[in-house]
Amino acid sequence: MPNPIVITNNIRKLRFFANEMTQQELAEKAGASRQTIIAIEAGKYSPSLELAFCIADAFGVSITEVFSHEVKE
Amino acid sequence: MSYQEKKTLASITSGALLLAAYCLYAFNPARTPADLKAWATTMLVFIAIGIGATIIIQIVFHILFSIGVAIQQKIQNNDCDDKDIEKNIKLEMVEDERDRMIEMKSNQVGFAVAGFGFVVALLSLVFNYSPVVMLNILFITFSFGSICEGIYQFLLYRRGYSHA
Protein backbone atom coordinates (compact mmCIF):
# COMPACT_ATOMS: atom_id res chain seq x y z
CA MET A 1 0.00 0.00 0.00
CA PRO A 2 1.39 3.45 -0.89
CA ASN A 3 2.38 5.82 1.89
CA PRO A 4 -0.28 8.38 2.89
CA ILE A 5 -0.12 11.80 1.26
CA VAL A 6 -0.49 15.09 3.11
CA ILE A 7 -1.90 17.88 0.94
CA THR A 8 -0.98 21.43 1.89
CA ASN A 9 -2.04 24.71 0.31
CA ASN A 10 -0.98 28.33 -0.11
CA ILE A 11 -4.45 29.80 -0.22
CA ARG A 12 -3.89 32.20 2.68
CA LYS A 13 -0.70 33.55 1.05
CA LEU A 14 -2.34 33.80 -2.37
CA ARG A 15 -5.31 35.66 -0.90
CA PHE A 16 -2.91 38.10 0.72
CA PHE A 17 -1.14 38.76 -2.59
CA ALA A 18 -4.50 39.15 -4.36
CA ASN A 19 -5.21 42.40 -2.47
CA GLU A 20 -6.28 40.50 0.65
CA MET A 21 -9.09 38.74 -1.20
CA THR A 22 -11.74 37.62 1.31
CA GLN A 23 -12.74 33.98 1.74
CA GLN A 24 -16.22 34.94 0.56
CA GLU A 25 -14.86 36.46 -2.65
CA LEU A 26 -12.75 33.39 -3.33
CA ALA A 27 -15.75 31.15 -2.61
CA GLU A 28 -17.88 33.06 -5.11
CA LYS A 29 -15.14 32.94 -7.77
CA ALA A 30 -14.49 29.23 -7.26
CA GLY A 31 -18.17 28.30 -7.00
CA ALA A 32 -17.96 26.89 -3.49
CA SER A 33 -19.27 27.90 -0.08
CA ARG A 34 -17.27 30.09 2.31
CA GLN A 35 -17.25 27.21 4.81
CA THR A 36 -15.57 24.96 2.25
CA ILE A 37 -12.87 27.56 1.56
CA ILE A 38 -12.31 27.92 5.33
CA ALA A 39 -12.03 24.11 5.66
CA ILE A 40 -9.60 23.82 2.72
CA GLU A 41 -7.46 26.67 4.01
CA ALA A 42 -7.29 25.03 7.45
CA GLY A 43 -6.36 21.69 5.88
CA LYS A 44 -9.61 20.11 7.08
CA TYR A 45 -10.87 19.23 3.61
CA SER A 46 -9.17 18.08 0.40
CA PRO A 47 -11.13 19.49 -2.54
CA SER A 48 -12.01 17.61 -5.71
CA LEU A 49 -9.80 18.17 -8.75
CA GLU A 50 -12.52 20.36 -10.30
CA LEU A 51 -12.70 22.66 -7.29
CA ALA A 52 -8.90 22.72 -6.98
CA PHE A 53 -8.65 23.95 -10.60
CA CYS A 54 -11.41 26.53 -9.98
CA ILE A 55 -9.49 27.88 -6.96
CA ALA A 56 -6.28 28.06 -9.01
CA ASP A 57 -8.18 29.87 -11.80
CA ALA A 58 -9.58 32.33 -9.26
CA PHE A 59 -6.01 33.36 -8.44
CA GLY A 60 -4.85 33.09 -12.06
CA VAL A 61 -2.09 30.62 -11.18
CA SER A 62 -1.42 26.95 -11.84
CA ILE A 63 -2.78 24.29 -9.52
CA THR A 64 0.71 23.40 -8.28
CA GLU A 65 1.14 26.94 -6.97
CA VAL A 66 -1.95 26.50 -4.82
CA PHE A 67 -1.65 22.90 -3.68
CA SER A 68 1.37 20.77 -2.92
CA HIS A 69 1.75 17.30 -1.51
CA GLU A 70 4.10 15.50 0.78
CA VAL A 71 4.44 11.74 1.09
CA LYS A 72 4.53 10.55 4.70
CA GLU A 73 7.28 8.03 5.41
CA MET B 1 -21.11 27.62 13.77
CA SER B 2 -22.01 27.36 10.08
CA TYR B 3 -25.47 27.07 8.55
CA GLN B 4 -24.91 23.39 7.74
CA GLU B 5 -23.87 22.59 11.32
CA LYS B 6 -26.90 24.37 12.75
CA LYS B 7 -29.18 22.63 10.23
CA THR B 8 -27.71 19.26 11.25
CA LEU B 9 -28.30 20.07 14.94
CA ALA B 10 -31.93 20.96 14.14
CA SER B 11 -32.32 17.63 12.35
CA ILE B 12 -30.75 15.69 15.27
CA THR B 13 -33.08 17.50 17.69
CA SER B 14 -36.21 16.61 15.71
CA GLY B 15 -35.08 12.98 15.41
CA ALA B 16 -34.27 12.73 19.12
CA LEU B 17 -37.60 14.29 20.10
CA LEU B 18 -39.49 11.80 17.92
CA LEU B 19 -37.57 8.83 19.34
CA ALA B 20 -38.06 10.06 22.91
CA ALA B 21 -41.80 10.56 22.35
CA TYR B 22 -42.12 7.10 20.83
CA CYS B 23 -40.16 5.42 23.66
CA LEU B 24 -42.31 7.21 26.26
CA TYR B 25 -45.37 5.84 24.49
CA ALA B 26 -44.08 2.36 23.71
CA PHE B 27 -42.59 1.61 27.14
CA ASN B 28 -45.61 2.84 29.08
CA PRO B 29 -47.59 -0.32 30.03
CA ALA B 30 -50.76 1.66 30.71
CA ARG B 31 -51.07 2.95 27.14
CA THR B 32 -49.34 0.38 24.94
CA PRO B 33 -51.58 -1.31 22.34
CA ALA B 34 -51.92 -5.07 22.49
CA ASP B 35 -52.24 -6.35 18.92
CA LEU B 36 -49.98 -6.05 15.89
CA LYS B 37 -52.44 -3.91 13.90
CA ALA B 38 -52.63 -1.33 16.67
CA TRP B 39 -48.82 -1.20 16.87
CA ALA B 40 -48.55 -0.71 13.11
CA THR B 41 -51.11 2.11 13.31
CA THR B 42 -49.19 3.72 16.18
CA MET B 43 -45.95 3.58 14.21
CA LEU B 44 -47.58 5.06 11.12
CA VAL B 45 -48.93 7.89 13.27
CA PHE B 46 -45.47 8.49 14.73
CA ILE B 47 -43.91 8.47 11.24
CA ALA B 48 -46.47 11.08 10.11
CA ILE B 49 -45.81 13.15 13.25
CA GLY B 50 -42.06 12.81 12.63
CA ILE B 51 -42.33 14.07 9.05
CA GLY B 52 -44.56 16.95 10.14
CA ALA B 53 -42.33 17.87 13.09
CA THR B 54 -39.18 17.75 10.91
CA ILE B 55 -40.74 20.08 8.33
CA ILE B 56 -41.92 22.51 11.03
CA ILE B 57 -38.56 22.48 12.84
CA GLN B 58 -36.68 23.09 9.57
CA ILE B 59 -39.00 25.99 8.64
CA VAL B 60 -38.64 27.55 12.10
CA PHE B 61 -34.87 27.01 11.91
CA HIS B 62 -34.66 28.75 8.51
CA ILE B 63 -36.68 31.71 9.77
CA LEU B 64 -34.58 32.05 12.96
CA PHE B 65 -31.33 31.64 10.99
CA SER B 66 -32.35 34.33 8.49
CA ILE B 67 -33.32 36.69 11.33
CA GLY B 68 -29.97 35.96 13.02
CA VAL B 69 -28.00 36.76 9.84
CA ALA B 70 -30.02 39.94 9.29
CA ILE B 71 -29.45 41.17 12.86
CA GLN B 72 -25.73 40.37 12.65
CA GLN B 73 -25.50 42.24 9.34
CA LYS B 74 -27.32 45.27 10.77
CA ILE B 75 -25.04 45.35 13.83
CA GLN B 76 -21.91 45.19 11.64
CA ASN B 77 -23.15 47.73 9.11
CA ASN B 78 -26.23 49.79 9.90
CA ASP B 79 -26.41 51.21 6.36
CA CYS B 80 -26.82 47.86 4.59
CA ASP B 81 -30.06 47.44 2.66
CA ASP B 82 -32.43 44.48 2.32
CA LYS B 83 -30.75 43.26 -0.88
CA ASP B 84 -27.37 42.94 0.89
CA ILE B 85 -29.01 41.03 3.74
CA GLU B 86 -30.84 38.74 1.32
CA LYS B 87 -27.61 38.10 -0.60
CA ASN B 88 -25.76 37.25 2.63
CA ILE B 89 -28.49 34.83 3.72
CA LYS B 90 -28.29 33.08 0.33
CA LEU B 91 -24.48 32.92 0.52
CA GLU B 92 -24.62 31.34 3.98
CA MET B 93 -26.97 28.64 2.68
CA VAL B 94 -24.88 27.61 -0.35
CA GLU B 95 -24.39 23.84 -0.61
CA ASP B 96 -21.40 22.45 -2.48
CA GLU B 97 -19.34 19.28 -3.01
CA ARG B 98 -18.12 19.18 0.61
CA ASP B 99 -21.69 19.14 1.91
CA ARG B 100 -22.67 16.40 -0.53
CA MET B 101 -19.58 14.35 0.40
CA ILE B 102 -20.26 14.69 4.13
CA GLU B 103 -23.92 13.80 3.58
CA MET B 104 -22.93 10.66 1.66
CA LYS B 105 -20.45 9.61 4.36
CA SER B 106 -22.98 10.12 7.15
CA ASN B 107 -25.67 8.27 5.17
CA GLN B 108 -23.41 5.22 5.33
CA VAL B 109 -23.49 5.37 9.14
CA GLY B 110 -27.27 5.73 9.13
CA PHE B 111 -27.68 2.73 6.81
CA ALA B 112 -25.22 0.66 8.87
CA VAL B 113 -27.16 1.26 12.11
CA ALA B 114 -30.51 0.61 10.36
CA GLY B 115 -29.07 -2.57 8.77
CA PHE B 116 -27.82 -3.77 12.14
CA GLY B 117 -31.29 -3.11 13.57
CA PHE B 118 -32.89 -5.12 10.78
CA VAL B 119 -30.65 -8.12 11.57
CA VAL B 120 -31.42 -7.82 15.31
CA ALA B 121 -35.15 -7.60 14.49
CA LEU B 122 -34.94 -10.80 12.43
CA LEU B 123 -32.98 -12.51 15.22
CA SER B 124 -35.72 -11.59 17.67
CA LEU B 125 -38.15 -13.62 15.54
CA VAL B 126 -35.69 -16.52 15.35
CA PHE B 127 -35.52 -16.54 19.16
CA ASN B 128 -39.31 -16.66 19.40
CA TYR B 129 -40.00 -13.10 20.50
CA SER B 130 -43.31 -11.68 19.37
CA PRO B 131 -43.59 -9.74 16.09
CA VAL B 132 -44.39 -6.68 18.22
CA VAL B 133 -40.83 -6.79 19.59
CA MET B 134 -39.50 -7.07 16.04
CA LEU B 135 -41.54 -4.07 14.88
CA ASN B 136 -40.32 -2.01 17.83
CA ILE B 137 -36.69 -2.95 17.26
CA LEU B 138 -37.06 -1.91 13.60
CA PHE B 139 -38.70 1.42 14.41
CA ILE B 140 -36.29 2.30 17.22
CA THR B 141 -33.09 1.33 15.36
CA PHE B 142 -34.19 3.13 12.18
CA SER B 143 -34.89 6.28 14.22
CA PHE B 144 -31.64 5.83 16.13
CA GLY B 145 -29.79 5.35 12.82
CA SER B 146 -31.13 8.69 11.63
CA ILE B 147 -29.84 10.35 14.84
CA CYS B 148 -26.42 8.64 14.46
CA GLU B 149 -26.29 9.89 10.87
CA GLY B 150 -26.88 13.45 12.09
CA ILE B 151 -24.28 13.17 14.86
CA TYR B 152 -21.66 11.78 12.46
CA GLN B 153 -22.50 14.52 9.94
CA PHE B 154 -21.99 17.14 12.66
CA LEU B 155 -18.68 15.53 13.67
CA LEU B 156 -17.46 15.57 10.06
CA TYR B 157 -18.29 19.27 9.79
CA ARG B 158 -16.41 19.99 13.01
CA ARG B 159 -13.44 17.66 12.56
CA GLY B 160 -13.07 18.03 8.81
CA TYR B 161 -13.16 15.43 6.10
CA SER B 162 -10.31 13.96 4.08
CA HIS B 163 -10.56 11.56 1.13
CA ALA B 164 -7.66 9.47 2.50
Side-chain angles (χ1 to χ4, degrees), chain B residues 5-53:
Chain B
E5 287 168 12
K6 287 175 186 163
K7 190 177 149 193
T8 310
L9 281 183
S11 157
I12 295 170
T13 308
S14 62
L17 284 176
L18 176 74
L19 185 61
Y22 181 78
C23 287
L24 281 176
Y25 182 85
F27 298 119
N28 184 348
R31 277 186 298 176
T32 46
D35 62 330
L36 205 56
K37 189 182 168 188
W39 272 106
T41 312
T42 305
M43 283 177 191
L44 281 174
V45 168
F46 268 93
I47 288 169
I49 291 171
I51 293 169

Side-chain angles (χ1 to χ4, degrees), chain A residues 33-34 36 44-46 48, chain B residues 92 96-97 158 160-161 163:
Chain A
S33 70
R34 189 172 61 91
T36 297
K44 285 184 171 183
Y45 176 66
S46 309
S48 68
Chain B
E92 287 287 332
D96 63 5
E97 60 166 50
R158 289 261 114 184
Y161 169 72
H163 294 280

Side-chain angles (χ1 to χ4, degrees), chain A residues 3-19:
Chain A
N3 290 335
I5 290 173
V6 178
I7 296 171
T8 53
N9 67 79
N10 296 318
I11 293 178
R12 181 68 196 94
K13 200 169 86 184
L14 287 163
R15 283 201 301 115
F16 175 77
F17 286 117
N19 289 327

Side-chain angles (χ1 to χ4, degrees), chain B residues 134-149:
Chain B
M134 187 205 85
L135 267 183
N136 273 296
I137 291 172
L138 273 183
F139 188 86
I140 289 170
T141 49
F142 276 43
S143 305
F144 184 65
S146 152
I147 296 171
C148 290
E149 185 181 319

Side-chain angles (χ1 to χ4, degrees), chain B:
Chain B
M1 207 183 283
S2 74
Y3 163 74
Q4 304 297 345
E5 287 168 12
K6 287 175 186 163
K7 190 177 149 193
T8 310
L9 281 183
S11 157
I12 295 170
T13 308
S14 62
L17 284 176
L18 176 74
L19 185 61
Y22 181 78
C23 287
L24 281 176
Y25 182 85
F27 298 119
N28 184 348
R31 277 186 298 176
T32 46
D35 62 330
L36 205 56
K37 189 182 168 188
W39 272 106
T41 312
T42 305
M43 283 177 191
L44 281 174
V45 168
F46 268 93
I47 288 169
I49 291 171
I51 293 169
T54 305
I55 291 169
I56 291 167
I57 286 175
Q58 290 295 332
I59 289 170
V60 170
F61 163 72
H62 271 83
I63 293 167
L64 291 178
F65 182 81
S66 302
I67 293 170
V69 171
I71 290 171
Q72 203 179 11
Q73 190 81 8
K74 277 280 176 194
I75 290 169
Q76 282 171 359
N77 179 12
N78 206 25
D79 299 330
C80 65
D81 59 4
D82 289 351
K83 277 187 180 173
D84 288 334
I85 292 171
E86 211 173 299
K87 189 187 165 199
N88 266 316
I89 292 169
K90 275 185 186 166
L91 286 174
E92 287 287 332
M93 292 182 182
V94 168
E95 277 190 71
D96 63 5
E97 60 166 50
R98 177 169 161 263
D99 302 310
R100 286 189 289 273
M101 192 67 78
I102 287 177
E103 196 181 333
M104 264 185 349
K105 273 273 159 196
S106 54
N107 275 348
Q108 286 177 355
V109 172
F111 283 129
V113 175
F116 176 75
F118 185 68
V119 172
V120 173
L122 289 179
L123 282 174
S124 73
L125 283 184
V126 172
F127 290 107
N128 294 324
Y129 285 96
S130 87
V132 168
V133 173
M134 187 205 85
L135 267 183
N136 273 296
I137 291 172
L138 273 183
F139 188 86
I140 289 170
T141 49
F142 276 43
S143 305
F144 184 65
S146 152
I147 296 171
C148 290
E149 185 181 319
I151 291 170
Y152 189 61
Q153 196 167 346
F154 184 75
L155 277 178
L156 286 178
Y157 275 118
R158 289 261 114 184
R159 196 187 63 188
Y161 169 72
S162 165
H163 294 280

Side-chain angles (χ1 to χ4, degrees), chain A residues 1 4 11 15 33 37 41 44 53-54 56 63 71-72:
Chain A
M1 202 174 157
I11 293 178
R15 283 201 301 115
S33 70
I37 298 297
E41 206 174 291
K44 285 184 171 183
F53 274 113
C54 287
I63 197 167
V71 180
K72 268 188 179 176

